[in-house]
Amino acid sequence: MMNNGFWSMGGYGRYVWPCFAFAFLVLGWNLWSARRHLDAARLRARRELQMAGIDP
Amino acid sequence: MWTWFYKLASPPYVYGVAAALVPWALGGAALALCYGLIAGLAIAPPDYQQGEAFRMIYVHVPSALLSLTVYTVMAAASAVALIWRIKVGHAVASAAAPIGASFTILALFTGSLWGRPMWGTYWAWDPRLTSELILLFLYVGVMSLRSAFEDPSRGDRAAALLATVGIVNVPIVHFSVVWWNSLHQGATIVKLGAPSMPGSMLWPLLSMWLGFMLFFAAVLCIRLQGEVLNRERQSTWVRQAVKS
């Protein structure tokens, strides 16, 4: 299956592969930004507790 | 009977449940996406009319369905927050909005790529495409409105109101291909009656759909933890949560 026919997708490869590539980009961005959002919230909460004199 | 509902109003409970769900949802999503990709790209036969181009369905349909599902979740959470004044509802709506917007962009982008070889154009002011674009504007509007107020609670209420009213667009997107003349094909899976695909094409699609849904659940849970921490950082339970 892993031959030129598979990659060319019957001549539609230039439409099919960017579709899947962009999908993985969106999945990757979602995971990265969600982790970043949570880490930033944890850091912010920790800093505010330290500023209030409470060691978390 | 309503105990579970009241428990969901408790930020520490929601934070704990969300943290526990993430690995299961991500693991399930990885399995479903792997099967869907292999079966959809390498095993499913080409379509008798569209040939290999039909394989774009395996990302286009799940992303389009997810764009509507996420909006429904966001609107339901907003309505709960407005009616019962449950603050976690605002946190869920805020966490869901960027995820929904990204999957709406994906649905529009993949639809555009699919439209070029099938319709001869990347874009047409077709009812389905236009209503999906309005859905993206609604997501952007909800996110902008939330951050437009100095007082976060006013921003939450304004965004919740727009999200709740905007739910009217969800059935319009879904039924646009029935109500108006459209270039876009009719429903394939979500319709009355049997799906209009053979099993060899349908199972990979259902698997990709499940994978996208579980992925959404996972990223929503991660974002929701961040939202809850941001909103509850003055609470004593947060001290324990940020230790880990």
Side-chain angles (χ1 to χ4, degrees), chain A residues 9 27 30 33 44 46 48, chain B residues 52 102 215 223 233 242:
Chain A
M9 283 280 158
L27 294 178
N30 266 295
S33 70
R44 194 175 172 186
R46 231 175 254 144
E48 287 204 7
Chain B
E52 305 285 355
S102 69
F215 182 83
R223 272 192 177 275
R233 56 183 185 275
V242 293

Side-chain angles (χ1 to χ4, degrees), chain B residues 1-10 13-14 17 80 84 86:
Chain B
M1 184 189 165
W2 288 93
T3 318
W4 63 272
F5 186 72
Y6 294 123
K7 271 186 179 175
L8 287 177
S10 157
Y13 179 77
V14 167
V17 169
V80 164
W84 286 285
I86 293 174

Side-chain angles (χ1 to χ4, degrees), chain A residues 1 6 9-10 12 15 19-20 22-24 27 30 33-34 37-38 41-42 44-46 48-49 54 56, chain B residues 15 37 41 52-53 55-56 59 102-103 106 109-110 215 222-223 225-227 229-230 233-234 239 242:
Chain A
M1 199 65 196
F6 176 75
M9 283 280 158
Y12 294 113
Y15 302 109
C19 240
F20 283 84
F22 191 65
F24 276 93
L27 294 178
N30 266 295
S33 70
H37 184 252
L38 176 57
R42 278 188 179 141
R44 194 175 172 186
R46 231 175 254 144
E48 287 204 7
L49 287 172
I54 306 160
Chain B
Y15 184 88
L37 273 179
L41 284 171
E52 305 285 355
R55 296 187 198 281
M56 285 182 265
V59 283
S102 69
F103 280 99
L106 178 60
F109 181 80
T110 54
F215 182 83
I222 299 171
R223 272 192 177 275
Q225 290 177 77
E227 280 296 324
L229 277 186
N230 275 337
R233 56 183 185 275
Q234 311 293 343
R239 220 176 301 166
V242 293

Side-chain angles (χ1 to χ4, degrees), chain B residues 5-111:
Chain B
F5 186 72
Y6 294 123
K7 271 186 179 175
L8 287 177
S10 157
Y13 179 77
V14 167
Y15 184 88
V17 169
L21 283 178
V22 171
W24 295 100
L26 269 185
L31 286 176
L33 290 175
C34 278
Y35 168 74
L37 273 179
I38 294 167
L41 284 171
I43 299 171
D47 182 69
Y48 80 107
Q49 277 184 323
Q50 301 191 19
E52 305 285 355
F54 103 97
R55 296 187 198 281
M56 285 182 265
I57 201 173
Y58 295 115
V59 283
H60 176 67
V61 169
S63 59
L65 285 173
L66 200 56
S67 71
L68 297 176
T69 308
V70 177
Y71 196 92
T72 308
V73 168
M74 185 176 78
S78 299
V80 164
L82 285 175
I83 297 164
W84 286 285
R85 295 185 184 276
I86 293 174
K87 288 180 184 171
V88 173
H90 291 304
V92 172
S94 178
I99 308 169
S102 69
F103 280 99
T104 309
I105 293 170
L106 178 60
L108 287 167
F109 181 80
T110 54

